[in-house]
Amino acid sequence: MAEMIDSLIQFLEQLMTMPIFYPLLGLLITVDALCPLVPSETVLNLAGAFSASQGVPDVKWVIGAAMIGALIGDNLCFMLGGKLIHFVNRLDPDSNAGRAIEWVRDNMNQHGPVTIIVARFIPWARWVATILLGSVRFSWFKFFLYDTIGVVLWVFIGVGVGYLGGTILSDFPLLAMIVGVILGSLVGLGIQRLQSRLWDWRDVRRGVSVI
């Protein structure tokens, strides 16, 4: 078992020291934006944790490649919105994607800009949001502006929490990667819960003020 773990760490370290890792990371995140089945958040957490514990990959290049990949993927998805909306409307409403559709539609009208930013942290929701906005010919400039803010926050938080885990457990690279992924997942979940609570509180305040 120990040999398998050492082999895994050596493989990851070798991969992350190769220059091709950065374009592969960007491509992975681009594909994730178009088809949210790839765990790009996990890859960011792992890269951040490995960078802190092993010194590779270069965290600055990881951040740059991730931002470029996310922006390209989101804008391609936005451009294809009109063609993909028919597929979105046929999804099972009880599935993860279906619930994401409901969440986006419930929040988009009242909280459009914030929804774009928050949706970047919710895999299916960011995919649905870009398609819906593209399909209704939402202003591309506004989408690009708020999406860029969301991408910057998403990348820095994703890499940052992994880096934090790797720094704390620099002598235990495998444990550092596991902790980095767990921290990243908790942060994403926390942002989603905080957003829901804030908007519920805002709706209650508006209801009280109307009365």
Side-chain angles (χ1 to χ4, degrees), residues 5 35 59 92 99 136 168 178 189 194-195 208-209:
I5 293 175
C35 181
V59 69
D92 181 2
R99 288 191 290 271
V136 298
I168 296 172
I178 294 173
L189 181 62
L194 178 61
Q195 167 264 322
V208 171
S209 64

PDB file of all heavy atoms in Angstrom, residues 5 35 59 92 99 136 168 178 189 194-195 208-209:
ATOM      1  N   ILE A   5       1.128   4.335  -2.815  1.00  0.00           N
ATOM      2  CA  ILE A   5       0.986   5.759  -2.497  1.00  0.00           C
ATOM      3  C   ILE A   5       2.211   6.528  -2.979  1.00  0.00           C
ATOM      4  O   ILE A   5       2.092   7.607  -3.573  1.00  0.00           O
ATOM      5  CB  ILE A   5       0.781   5.948  -0.978  1.00  0.00           C
ATOM      6  CG1 ILE A   5      -0.572   5.359  -0.565  1.00  0.00           C
ATOM      7  CG2 ILE A   5       0.858   7.430  -0.617  1.00  0.00           C
ATOM      8  CD1 ILE A   5      -0.806   5.386   0.929  1.00  0.00           C
ATOM      9  N   CYS A  35     -19.011  21.004 -20.372  1.00  0.00           N
ATOM     10  CA  CYS A  35     -19.625  19.741 -19.954  1.00  0.00           C
ATOM     11  C   CYS A  35     -19.243  19.495 -18.500  1.00  0.00           C
ATOM     12  O   CYS A  35     -18.150  18.989 -18.220  1.00  0.00           O
ATOM     13  CB  CYS A  35     -19.147  18.599 -20.840  1.00  0.00           C
ATOM     14  SG  CYS A  35     -19.872  16.993 -20.428  1.00  0.00           S
ATOM     15  N   VAL A  59       2.601  27.956  -8.734  1.00  0.00           N
ATOM     16  CA  VAL A  59       1.234  28.379  -8.415  1.00  0.00           C
ATOM     17  C   VAL A  59       0.776  29.535  -9.299  1.00  0.00           C
ATOM     18  O   VAL A  59      -0.405  29.645  -9.637  1.00  0.00           O
ATOM     19  CB  VAL A  59       1.122  28.742  -6.916  1.00  0.00           C
ATOM     20  CG1 VAL A  59       1.886  30.016  -6.597  1.00  0.00           C
ATOM     21  CG2 VAL A  59      -0.328  28.862  -6.493  1.00  0.00           C
ATOM     22  N   ASP A  92     -33.934  16.142 -16.543  1.00  0.00           N
ATOM     23  CA  ASP A  92     -34.796  15.703 -15.454  1.00  0.00           C
ATOM     24  C   ASP A  92     -34.811  16.756 -14.344  1.00  0.00           C
ATOM     25  O   ASP A  92     -33.752  17.085 -13.793  1.00  0.00           O
ATOM     26  CB  ASP A  92     -34.275  14.368 -14.910  1.00  0.00           C
ATOM     27  CG  ASP A  92     -35.138  13.824 -13.765  1.00  0.00           C
ATOM     28  OD1 ASP A  92     -36.158  14.459 -13.431  1.00  0.00           O
ATOM     29  OD2 ASP A  92     -34.775  12.771 -13.221  1.00  0.00           O
ATOM     30  N   ARG A  99     -32.139  20.620 -10.677  1.00  0.00           N
ATOM     31  CA  ARG A  99     -32.199  21.510  -9.508  1.00  0.00           C
ATOM     32  C   ARG A  99     -31.375  22.771  -9.742  1.00  0.00           C
ATOM     33  O   ARG A  99     -31.735  23.859  -9.273  1.00  0.00           O
ATOM     34  CB  ARG A  99     -31.716  20.764  -8.266  1.00  0.00           C
ATOM     35  CG  ARG A  99     -32.711  19.711  -7.771  1.00  0.00           C
ATOM     36  CD  ARG A  99     -32.329  19.193  -6.394  1.00  0.00           C
ATOM     37  NE  ARG A  99     -31.131  18.377  -6.454  1.00  0.00           N
ATOM     38  CZ  ARG A  99     -31.120  17.067  -6.675  1.00  0.00           C
ATOM     39  NH1 ARG A  99     -32.263  16.432  -6.881  1.00  0.00           N
ATOM     40  NH2 ARG A  99     -29.983  16.385  -6.686  1.00  0.00           N
ATOM     41  N   VAL A 136     -31.102  33.950 -24.097  1.00  0.00           N
ATOM     42  CA  VAL A 136     -32.001  35.111 -24.062  1.00  0.00           C
ATOM     43  C   VAL A 136     -31.284  36.391 -24.515  1.00  0.00           C
ATOM     44  O   VAL A 136     -31.791  37.488 -24.332  1.00  0.00           O
ATOM     45  CB  VAL A 136     -32.579  35.319 -22.636  1.00  0.00           C
ATOM     46  CG1 VAL A 136     -33.399  34.120 -22.212  1.00  0.00           C
ATOM     47  CG2 VAL A 136     -31.473  35.590 -21.621  1.00  0.00           C
ATOM     48  N   ILE A 168       0.155  23.546   5.513  1.00  0.00           N
ATOM     49  CA  ILE A 168       0.010  23.005   6.863  1.00  0.00           C
ATOM     50  C   ILE A 168       0.605  21.608   6.963  1.00  0.00           C
ATOM     51  O   ILE A 168       1.215  21.238   7.976  1.00  0.00           O
ATOM     52  CB  ILE A 168      -1.480  22.979   7.263  1.00  0.00           C
ATOM     53  CG1 ILE A 168      -2.036  24.408   7.332  1.00  0.00           C
ATOM     54  CG2 ILE A 168      -1.674  22.273   8.604  1.00  0.00           C
ATOM     55  CD1 ILE A 168      -3.528  24.463   7.538  1.00  0.00           C
ATOM     56  N   ILE A 178      -5.414  15.512   0.132  1.00  0.00           N
ATOM     57  CA  ILE A 178      -6.750  15.149   0.609  1.00  0.00           C
ATOM     58  C   ILE A 178      -7.386  16.309   1.376  1.00  0.00           C
ATOM     59  O   ILE A 178      -8.547  16.660   1.155  1.00  0.00           O
ATOM     60  CB  ILE A 178      -6.676  13.892   1.500  1.00  0.00           C
ATOM     61  CG1 ILE A 178      -6.238  12.680   0.661  1.00  0.00           C
ATOM     62  CG2 ILE A 178      -8.023  13.619   2.162  1.00  0.00           C
ATOM     63  CD1 ILE A 178      -5.968  11.440   1.481  1.00  0.00           C
ATOM     64  N   LEU A 189     -19.332  24.784  -0.801  1.00  0.00           N
ATOM     65  CA  LEU A 189     -20.626  24.558  -0.163  1.00  0.00           C
ATOM     66  C   LEU A 189     -20.998  25.732   0.731  1.00  0.00           C
ATOM     67  O   LEU A 189     -22.156  26.163   0.770  1.00  0.00           O
ATOM     68  CB  LEU A 189     -20.581  23.269   0.655  1.00  0.00           C
ATOM     69  CG  LEU A 189     -21.867  22.870   1.379  1.00  0.00           C
ATOM     70  CD1 LEU A 189     -22.987  22.628   0.389  1.00  0.00           C
ATOM     71  CD2 LEU A 189     -21.630  21.614   2.234  1.00  0.00           C
ATOM     72  N   LEU A 194     -24.257  30.414   2.178  1.00  0.00           N
ATOM     73  CA  LEU A 194     -24.269  31.815   2.594  1.00  0.00           C
ATOM     74  C   LEU A 194     -25.100  32.648   1.639  1.00  0.00           C
ATOM     75  O   LEU A 194     -25.888  33.502   2.062  1.00  0.00           O
ATOM     76  CB  LEU A 194     -22.836  32.350   2.647  1.00  0.00           C
ATOM     77  CG  LEU A 194     -22.683  33.829   3.025  1.00  0.00           C
ATOM     78  CD1 LEU A 194     -23.241  34.094   4.420  1.00  0.00           C
ATOM     79  CD2 LEU A 194     -21.217  34.253   2.945  1.00  0.00           C
ATOM     80  N   GLN A 195     -24.938  32.398   0.332  1.00  0.00           N
ATOM     81  CA  GLN A 195     -25.732  33.124  -0.655  1.00  0.00           C
ATOM     82  C   GLN A 195     -27.218  32.896  -0.435  1.00  0.00           C
ATOM     83  O   GLN A 195     -28.023  33.832  -0.479  1.00  0.00           O
ATOM     84  CB  GLN A 195     -25.309  32.672  -2.057  1.00  0.00           C
ATOM     85  CG  GLN A 195     -26.242  33.094  -3.163  1.00  0.00           C
ATOM     86  CD  GLN A 195     -27.231  31.983  -3.506  1.00  0.00           C
ATOM     87  OE1 GLN A 195     -26.892  30.805  -3.513  1.00  0.00           O
ATOM     88  NE2 GLN A 195     -28.466  32.365  -3.758  1.00  0.00           N
ATOM     89  N   VAL A 208     -41.294  42.455   4.863  1.00  0.00           N
ATOM     90  CA  VAL A 208     -41.655  43.200   6.063  1.00  0.00           C
ATOM     91  C   VAL A 208     -41.861  44.676   5.729  1.00  0.00           C
ATOM     92  O   VAL A 208     -42.776  45.332   6.198  1.00  0.00           O
ATOM     93  CB  VAL A 208     -40.561  43.042   7.138  1.00  0.00           C
ATOM     94  CG1 VAL A 208     -40.816  44.000   8.308  1.00  0.00           C
ATOM     95  CG2 VAL A 208     -40.524  41.599   7.627  1.00  0.00           C
ATOM     96  N   SER A 209     -40.957  45.198   4.875  1.00  0.00           N
ATOM     97  CA  SER A 209     -41.051  46.627   4.552  1.00  0.00           C
ATOM     98  C   SER A 209     -42.316  46.939   3.767  1.00  0.00           C
ATOM     99  O   SER A 209     -42.876  48.015   3.867  1.00  0.00           O
ATOM    100  CB  SER A 209     -39.812  47.047   3.741  1.00  0.00           C
ATOM    101  OG  SER A 209     -39.777  46.378   2.493  1.00  0.00           O
TER     102      SER A 209
END
